[in-house]
Amino acid sequence: MTLTTVSENRAFGGVQGVYRHASAATGTDMTFSVYVPPHAAGASLPVLWYLSGLTCTHANVTEKGEFRRACAEAGVIFIAPDTSPRGEGVADDPAYDFGQGAGFYVDATEAPWAPHFAMRSYIEDELPALIAAHFPADMARQGITGHSMGGHGALTIALRNPDRYACVSAFAPIAAPGQVPWGEKALSGYLGDDRHLWRAHDAVALIEDGARLPELLVDVGDADPFLEQLRPDLLEAACATAGIALTLRRQPGYDHSYYFISTFMAEHVGWHAERLAR
């Protein structure tokens, strides 16, 4: 559980840190960022996880997400992991939507990905234990959100662990990866051709198979060039059938970028903070 501090900077009265550790799940060093807001000595604070999208590292949201003021005001710890294992000896692919930077939050079973691509285990098990050991985190009060591939990760992880997260949201999630090219490529590459096995990593399929959450908040831009990969309409239909209270906001004129995410980030932080305070 040894943690190396890469950097720490004062921000809105709290500390924005970047940290590195040797991961047993991935067999590599992993880097992540944590913002700890100002708090009284001995306080234990709720946690909001943010999972990033294709090609991203922890740095994208840390530098562009504009979450710190809202987290400082609400007293919420904000955690941003990397999107895949990296480094020498880690399998990769020349395409942007597969391999390093595109772990899809699954535990790969296929060669050459299986030795290192265990992002499900890393996010669900290993990193939470590390956070609990090193930060003033109340692990009984957790929320999760994410963007694009990370929105897929947030939805699927929460649907598989409904008792762990008090609240779930997403920015432009890949809602039905088993039905779109990005997801079909990743799930077949990492998990093989048995589509039944994919269903545990597909939010729409999980809901169809009985997984439930009380409510969801999802923002998507109506000018997003990747809407055919995201399929918010399928998530909307699945939630309606299942009786899940989905607030799906189609934001006019917004695209897939961090200009979009940063515009609505404070609203998501506030939405989570309200539920984490209950």
Side-chain angles (χ1 to χ4, degrees):
M1 301 290 277
T2 302
L3 197 63
T4 299
T5 300
V6 177
S7 64
E8 288 185 335
N9 297 93
R10 196 76 169 162
F12 295 99
V15 176
Q16 176 63 66
V18 177
Y19 308 95
R20 181 182 302 117
H21 72 110
S23 168
T26 68
T28 67
D29 283 352
M30 295 294 289
T31 302
F32 62 96
S33 76
V34 179
Y35 176 69
V36 178
H39 60 282
S44 187
L45 306 177
V47 170
L48 178 57
W49 295 87
Y50 177 92
L51 305 185
S52 294
L54 290 167
T55 76
C56 292
T57 70
H58 70 281
N60 296 75
V61 70
T62 305
E63 296 169 3
K64 303 175 185 177
E66 300 185 24
F67 56 85
R68 277 174 287 270
R69 182 187 295 276
C71 286
E73 292 173 352
V76 173
I77 294 174
F78 190 97
I79 304 169
D82 202 347
T83 54
S84 79
R86 302 176 190 270
E88 186 176 351
V90 177
D92 200 7
D93 188 275
Y96 76 95
D97 57 352
F98 194 60
Q100 293 188 37
F104 267 82
Y105 304 100
V106 305
D107 283 356
T109 57
E110 300 296 298
W113 314 104
H116 299 293
F117 280 72
M119 291 304 295
R120 173 180 178 175
S121 292
Y122 180 68
I123 298 298
E124 290 187 1
D125 301 317
E126 184 176 21
L127 190 54
L130 192 71
I131 295 298
H134 290 276
F135 297 92
D138 181 354
M139 303 306 282
R141 292 188 292 160
Q142 298 184 69
I144 191 167
T145 187
H147 170 233
S148 193
M149 178 186 71
H152 140 75
L155 294 178
T156 56
I157 289 170
L159 284 162
R160 290 194 304 263
N161 300 276
D163 296 331
R164 181 181 301 185
Y165 302 98
C167 37
V168 187
S169 74
F171 299 89
I174 306 172
Q179 301 184 54
V180 300
W182 275 348
E184 289 179 324
K185 178 178 181 178
L187 297 178
S188 63
Y190 294 136
L191 303 176
D193 294 331
D194 184 350
R195 286 177 173 262
H196 180 74
L197 298 177
W198 301 4
R199 296 185 70 82
H201 306 279
D202 181 311
V204 168
L206 281 163
I207 293 169
E208 290 173 347
D209 291 346
R212 295 291 182 267
L213 294 168
E215 60 179 336
L216 293 171
L217 170 64
V218 173
D219 276 315
V220 63
D222 71 1
D224 192 316
F226 303 115
L227 283 174
E228 291 186 359
Q229 301 270 15
L230 307 178
R231 297 304 305 271
D233 55 309
L234 296 180
L235 179 64
E236 188 173 36
C239 287
T241 299
I244 295 173
L246 168 66
T247 300
L248 175 59
R249 307 192 302 187
R250 294 177 171 88
Q251 303 291 1
Y254 284 90
D255 58 16
H256 200 69
S257 70
Y258 269 88
Y259 295 109
F260 156 64
I261 297 166
S262 63
T263 299
F264 302 103
M265 177 65 84
E267 293 181 22
H268 279 244
V269 172
W271 185 86
H272 283 274
E274 179 183 347
R275 286 150 181 81
L276 291 169
R278 291 175 181 171

